[in-house]
Amino acid sequence: MAQDRRPAGRSVRRTGGERKPREERWAQLLDVATQVFYEKGYDGASLQDIADRLGMLKGSLYYYIQSKEDLLFEVISDVHREGYAVVRTAAEPPGDPLDRLERTIRAHVVHECRHLVPTAVFLHELASLPADRRESVLGSGHVYQGVFRDLVAEAQQQGLVRPEVDPRIAGLSILGSTNWVYRWFSADGPSTPEQIGEQLAAMAIHGVATPEAVRSRVPVGRAAS
């Protein structure tokens, strides 16, 4: 899904010859800021650090943002928007709710492993934003975790999840455990992102599904062994 990476509220009135370079510069600014925040932390990073990395004057950054907080907000928003698009797409039909939950967990883990730096900045620095700006990123209904919660609830309504399971707690548990992957995943490690996603999805499904639903998901050849 293509994302509009313009800074919020900026004018889009540009000539055809200058629009693309400025949009590319904005995308580069987000990428560099993400890397600097990752390396130095939000408190330790400065706009001068980011300008130096870009090879531009610090004053030129103010064409795009008004403060370092604005830049963090844009980085956090961009990471959240891209990640949410991944899980939202994975959660759509076809498949029953458990199939879609499994697919969504796997997609989330693979995306996280392949975008470790942005994920780390999002999870480490979200609390650096004022509460109102955090809320504007996450949404009043915490829509990201809501994808997992709603799939569990839908599966429960269809008799696929045990009745004692609280969908809200299950959704938080699934999202929390999968988010933690960024702390220990290594591209040089023994497991690929796909393998990790498959394992975590299987554990999550077994943790909430009814025994009947679990048995029905086991391949026939394996069930007979």
Side-chain angles (χ1 to χ4, degrees):
M1 180 183 297
Q3 300 292 340
D4 184 350
R5 305 184 80 186
R6 285 195 306 270
R10 290 289 176 182
S11 171
V12 297
R13 184 178 298 173
R14 301 168 180 167
T15 66
E18 64 183 355
R19 179 173 181 174
K20 184 175 180 180
R22 289 186 180 182
E23 289 182 353
E24 288 180 350
R25 194 62 159 170
W26 170 243
Q28 184 183 21
L29 171 57
L30 285 185
D31 291 340
V32 168
T34 301
Q35 187 66 40
V36 172
F37 289 148
Y38 175 75
E39 294 172 3
K40 298 191 172 186
Y42 175 69
D43 290 337
S46 68
L47 290 180
Q48 187 65 60
D49 293 328
I50 294 166
D52 290 345
R53 191 75 62 89
L54 285 164
M56 61 192 297
L57 295 175
K58 176 182 174 181
S60 299
L61 294 179
Y62 294 108
Y63 169 79
Y64 300 96
I65 45 95
Q66 297 179 355
S67 66
K68 187 173 74 165
E69 181 188 298
D70 285 345
L71 187 52
L72 178 64
F73 174 77
E74 295 292 348
V75 167
I76 293 292
S77 298
D78 200 58
V79 175
H80 184 270
R81 184 167 51 248
E82 292 183 1
Y84 179 66
V86 168
V87 298
R88 182 68 269 171
T89 299
E92 295 296 325
D96 68 37
L98 285 183
D99 290 334
R100 289 152 52 206
L101 178 61
E102 179 180 12
R103 187 167 67 231
T104 301
I105 294 170
R106 293 170 69 166
H108 175 57
V109 170
V110 170
H111 178 78
E112 182 179 3
C113 290
R114 292 178 177 170
H115 300 83
L116 286 178
V117 169
T119 296
V121 171
F122 178 85
L123 294 174
H124 286 175
E125 306 298 350
L126 179 63
S128 298
L129 291 174
D132 60 332
R133 302 198 86 172
R134 290 199 304 272
E135 192 72 11
S136 70
V137 172
L138 299 176
S140 58
H142 300 293
V143 291
Y144 206 112
Q145 69 189 46
V147 173
F148 299 93
R149 178 199 63 217
D150 292 348
L151 285 171
V152 174
E154 186 180 345
Q156 192 174 58
Q157 291 168 2
Q158 296 185 20
L160 301 172
V161 164
R162 300 191 308 278
E164 72 272 16
V165 172
D166 183 329
R168 182 185 68 86
I169 296 175
L172 287 169
S173 175
I174 292 169
L175 184 59
S177 62
T178 52
N179 277 349
W180 198 250
V181 169
Y182 87 98
R183 295 296 299 268
W184 52 263
F185 171 72
S186 171
D188 299 324
S191 300
T192 67
E194 291 77 11
Q195 290 170 333
I196 295 171
E198 181 179 357
Q199 287 285 315
L200 290 179
M203 287 188 283
I205 296 299
H206 280 69
V208 301
T210 64
E212 295 78 13
V214 170
R215 283 195 295 270
S216 70
R217 299 177 65 79
V218 177
V220 175
R222 188 179 303 172
S225 61

